[in-house]
Amino acid sequence: MTREVTDVTDLNHCLPAGPWKRITGAVQAWRTRRHEHAPPAGDTGSPAPEQVPGASTLWRMRTTVKDEPGSLATLCTALAEQRVDILSLQAHPLAAGTVDEFLLRAPGELPASGIATAVRAAGGTDTWIERADAHDLVDAPTRVLGLAARTALDAAELPLALRQLLGRCTIRSLPAPAGGDRAADGVPVEGALDDTVMRLRAPEGGVITVERPYLPFTPTEFARARALVELDARLGPRVPRGRDVLTLAEGRDLAVRRADARDLEAARAMHERCSDRTLKLRYHGPVGDADRYLNHLLSPRYGRTLAVQTASGRLVGLGHLLWDGDETEVALIVEDAWQRRGVGAELLHRLVGMAGEAGCSSVYAVTQSSNTGMVAAMRGLGLPLDYQVEEGTLVITARLDKSAPERLPSELGNASAP
């Protein structure tokens, strides 16, 4: 089995039950058409990019070799005969055989199929290969330590750290059932590994499920992921404490800071001051259900939240960045008395900056066409926008590129720069 894998990373967040179902179904249909029916890279019929003479290409490759003396040497010799340089090698022992993970530098004119053929002839099996980049040049211990440091600083980093640790995968955080035991779905304390799926006990209860479509997880990867989750559990809830100043056109200063579950009561009080129309535009359901979503939205497990507050500490706006792979969702709510004063636009600008630093390639907003404030704020980003309408729901996607907003001050918690 040899695959040249394209960028299919997905990181899903869990939404509360109830009125979310209709809106979630529409978004799911939109995402399905955009992603799941795309042809594999090798089947598109597009010509391969023209190679520059003398250029080289970085590849990440995994292959299984027999646990016998000389097996690895034979494989390395076969790569050398193709003028392929081995930059790094990690061994993942299995019960039978060893999975070897390589970072390779190959001549630009040598395709992935050529490397795979040489590896197969040398005894490698279940070979998987994909393009690498300069970030992969960091050795494994350094990368793992960096991910651990990011996780220690910010609880919202755990899903992103797992994705960078394990590569292209789907990560789902499922909360523990209300009143149920913490071992949801019967996952043991030490977690469970089953080929391409691993399940880990989430620090706050529930389960973190990690799934990779093509490449089975090794026991080594499972142990690393479990160590990151255990670190997160030991450190408990935490968000960076820094804050930024938002200066309105009228000259008034507001504070912008990271928020979490400790802001639950202040967020509920803001809901009380919001009109029914504002709550409906934000939550797409019955006004009385608005408070139910706050526990989820303020949890760092599902993303990051920015709060806007006055000098007296009164919360007047919330902005959410919900992890959903490369197409992270953004959502805003601003108290009526503070609307049309630039609060939402400035908040969105900062959220998009955070998404860029987290390595996201796009952000999308789910709203209604009547929500002219959100539509204007997305247009004000100055980024390429896509508009999709599904069952009366408007989905606006902004593609992040070099013209994205400047990065936020590090004190607001941007520990995830790739």
Side-chain angles (χ1 to χ4, degrees):
M1 176 182 69
T2 302
R3 296 183 183 272
E4 182 176 353
V5 182
T6 56
D7 194 357
V8 294
T9 306
D10 186 18
L11 186 64
N12 294 300
H13 61 277
C14 305
L15 297 177
W20 277 108
K21 290 183 179 179
R22 177 180 59 82
I23 197 74
T24 307
V27 176
Q28 190 63 39
W30 161 74
R31 296 187 69 235
T32 296
R33 282 200 292 274
R34 290 176 63 92
H35 299 288
E36 295 178 8
H37 301 301
D43 297 335
T44 60
S46 301
E50 184 176 345
Q51 297 294 339
V52 178
S56 61
T57 304
L58 292 175
W59 298 96
R60 290 178 60 225
M61 184 186 75
R62 283 193 179 192
T63 192
T64 302
V65 299
K66 295 180 179 179
D67 190 11
E68 297 176 355
S71 296
L72 180 58
T74 300
L75 181 60
C76 294
T77 299
L79 292 172
E81 290 174 351
Q82 299 295 320
R83 296 184 295 120
V84 176
D85 186 18
I86 300 174
L87 302 180
S88 68
L89 167 63
Q90 293 185 67
H92 299 251
L94 303 177
T98 301
V99 173
D100 289 328
E101 182 175 358
F102 296 86
L103 179 62
L104 306 173
R105 179 182 285 119
E109 63 273 11
L110 180 64
S113 58
I115 299 174
T117 299
V119 169
R120 185 166 55 249
T125 59
D126 294 332
T127 301
W128 172 88
I129 187 169
E130 70 166 357
R131 288 291 185 98
D133 59 30
H135 299 301
D136 293 302
L137 293 172
V138 179
D139 65 276
T142 300
R143 184 171 70 252
V144 172
L145 286 172
L147 295 176
R150 281 173 37 189
T151 302
L153 291 171
D154 187 350
E157 289 289 328
L158 179 61
L160 297 175
L162 287 171
R163 187 180 69 178
Q164 292 202 8
L165 175 69
L166 301 170
R168 290 171 171 83
C169 56
T170 299
I171 301 178
R172 296 183 178 91
S173 294
L174 303 178
D181 73 40
R182 293 173 60 84
D185 295 333
V187 177
V189 174
E190 65 274 13
L193 174 61
D194 182 16
D195 199 38
T196 59
V197 179
M198 67 170 71
R199 295 189 297 164
L200 302 163
R201 293 275 293 274
E204 71 285 353
V207 178
I208 298 174
T209 301
V210 187
E211 185 172 1
R212 196 160 57 189
Y214 305 118
L215 193 62
F217 293 112
T218 67
T220 300
E221 290 178 309
F222 179 58
R224 290 172 179 171
R226 189 172 60 189
L228 271 181
V229 174
E230 289 176 354
L231 172 65
D232 184 87
R234 286 180 178 272
L235 293 174
R238 62 210 176 277
V239 296
R241 296 182 178 180
R243 60 183 59 206
D244 190 19
V245 176
L246 189 164
T247 302
L248 302 180
E250 64 198 48
R252 187 164 183 172
D253 288 341
L254 299 175
V256 182
R257 59 171 176 81
R258 288 284 300 278
D260 62 12
R262 291 170 291 188
D263 294 288
L264 183 60
E265 291 306 317
R268 287 173 175 165
M270 184 188 71
H271 277 178
E272 290 292 327
R273 298 190 298 270
C274 289
S275 66
D276 287 356
R277 180 179 184 277
T278 291
L279 293 176
K280 286 180 179 178
L281 287 176
R282 169 61 187 90
Y283 296 108
H284 315 284
V287 172
D289 289 342
D291 288 355
R292 294 175 52 220
Y293 307 128
L294 289 174
N295 278 324
H296 172 88
L297 295 171
L298 292 173
S299 169
R301 186 66 58 234
Y302 304 108
R304 294 175 179 158
T305 296
L306 291 180
V308 181
Q309 65 182 43
T310 64
S312 64
R314 180 171 172 172
L315 198 152
V316 298
L318 287 173
H320 306 286
L321 193 67
L322 298 171
W323 301 138
D324 195 14
D326 288 339
E327 293 185 324
T328 305
E329 183 179 357
V330 290
L332 303 173
I333 183 170
V334 177
E335 184 180 330
D336 292 63
W338 291 87
Q339 292 176 10
R340 291 176 291 278
R341 298 167 71 175
V343 175
E346 290 290 340
L347 198 53
L348 179 63
H349 201 82
R350 285 161 170 77
L351 291 171
V352 171
M354 295 175 83
E357 289 212 341
C360 303
S361 62
S362 65
V363 298
Y364 70 86
V366 181
T367 187
Q368 302 171 26
S369 57
S370 59
N371 191 350
T372 56
M374 189 63 179
V375 174
M378 291 292 288
R379 293 181 62 185
L381 292 172
L383 297 172
L385 299 179
D386 295 332
Y387 298 86
Q388 298 286 334
V389 178
E390 296 288 348
E391 301 179 7
T393 299
L394 175 64
V395 181
I396 310 174
T397 302
R399 304 292 171 184
L400 308 188
D401 55 22
K402 293 181 180 179
S403 62
E406 294 181 1
R407 295 185 173 182
L408 295 176
S410 58
E411 61 266 19
L412 277 182
N414 294 288
S416 60

